Amino acid sequence: MFHATTILAYKGEHKSVIGGDGQVSFGNSVLKGNAVKIRRLGKDESVLAGFAGSTADAFNLFDMFEKCLNSAKGDLVRAVVEFSKEWRKDKYLRKLEAMMLVLNREKIFLLSGTGDVVEPEDGKIAAIGSGGNYALSAARALDKFATIDEEKLVIESLKIAGEICIYTNTNIKTFVLDDAGESQ
């Protein structure tokens, strides 16, 4: 388990949303409370990505994934497979205890340095990081029992995780893709 962050991705009926908290922890100390651990990727910014693990490693992995995405001409499935192969081949990167979530309007994937490429069983909700299970549980409940906007679902789920997990705060940042393909 990564004592680093909480990232939640949700592919709803009208929007895809990724969100993350802002806490950067070092051991039992909070170094920063407003870090941004999510990004828009691709030439048209049609892919959202988030990272749990070391901040320095995140920049390398985001750059590496974006190169794969551009090589695949924006095809998320092809980019995910190629990225997973590259991550596994790199002797330094495959030792990282890190995970990524990537999604667009069609697909959502969890990626790890061990070569895992996992599409959530429900095809719409995934979470990583130390508060990931809390956020995932809250998101599943809200998805099942509430009528709520996709971005609000992500924010409220991350707030719940931030109230429970000591490595997660409630300083939340989100990125949204809507049906028109526009980023918000």
Side-chain angles (χ1 to χ4, degrees), residues 57-99:
D57 298 332
F59 294 115
N60 289 330
L61 292 173
F62 279 141
D63 289 345
M64 189 171 126
F65 182 78
E66 192 159 33
K67 286 178 188 171
C68 291
L69 185 63
N70 290 337
S71 292
K73 295 183 172 65
D75 183 324
L76 185 60
V77 176
R78 282 185 37 221
V80 162
V81 171
E82 187 59 35
F83 175 74
S84 179
K85 289 178 188 177
E86 291 298 317
W87 195 350
R88 287 280 296 154
K89 287 179 190 175
D90 189 298
K91 289 180 183 181
Y92 168 73
L93 292 177
R94 73 175 173 223
K95 293 178 183 175
L96 298 179
E97 291 188 6
M99 299 181 94

Side-chain angles (χ1 to χ4, degrees), residues 106-178:
E106 292 79 39
K107 296 282 188 182
I108 181 171
F109 295 102
L110 183 150
L111 311 171
S112 79
T114 58
D116 297 318
V117 175
V118 179
E119 187 172 10
E121 189 171 325
D122 64 7
K124 61 182 178 178
I125 307 171
I128 56 175
S130 56
N133 287 333
Y134 306 120
L136 180 63
S137 297
R140 285 181 177 170
L142 288 171
D143 181 59
K144 188 171 184 177
F145 296 109
T147 304
I148 188 170
D149 174 77
E150 291 94 333
E151 185 174 17
K152 183 86 169 152
L153 181 143
V154 169
I155 291 169
E156 293 305 318
S157 299
L158 286 167
K159 282 182 183 177
I160 290 168
E163 293 168 357
I164 298 169
C165 177
I166 63 169
Y167 297 104
T168 303
N169 69 15
T170 56
N171 187 350
I172 297 162
K173 176 75 174 172
T174 61
F175 290 141
V176 179
L177 294 174
D178 63 22

Side-chain angles (χ1 to χ4, degrees), residues 40-61:
R40 291 182 181 96
L41 300 175
K43 292 177 182 171
D44 58 358
E45 296 188 341
S46 64
V47 173
L48 305 176
F51 179 88
S54 162
T55 305
D57 298 332
F59 294 115
N60 289 330
L61 292 173

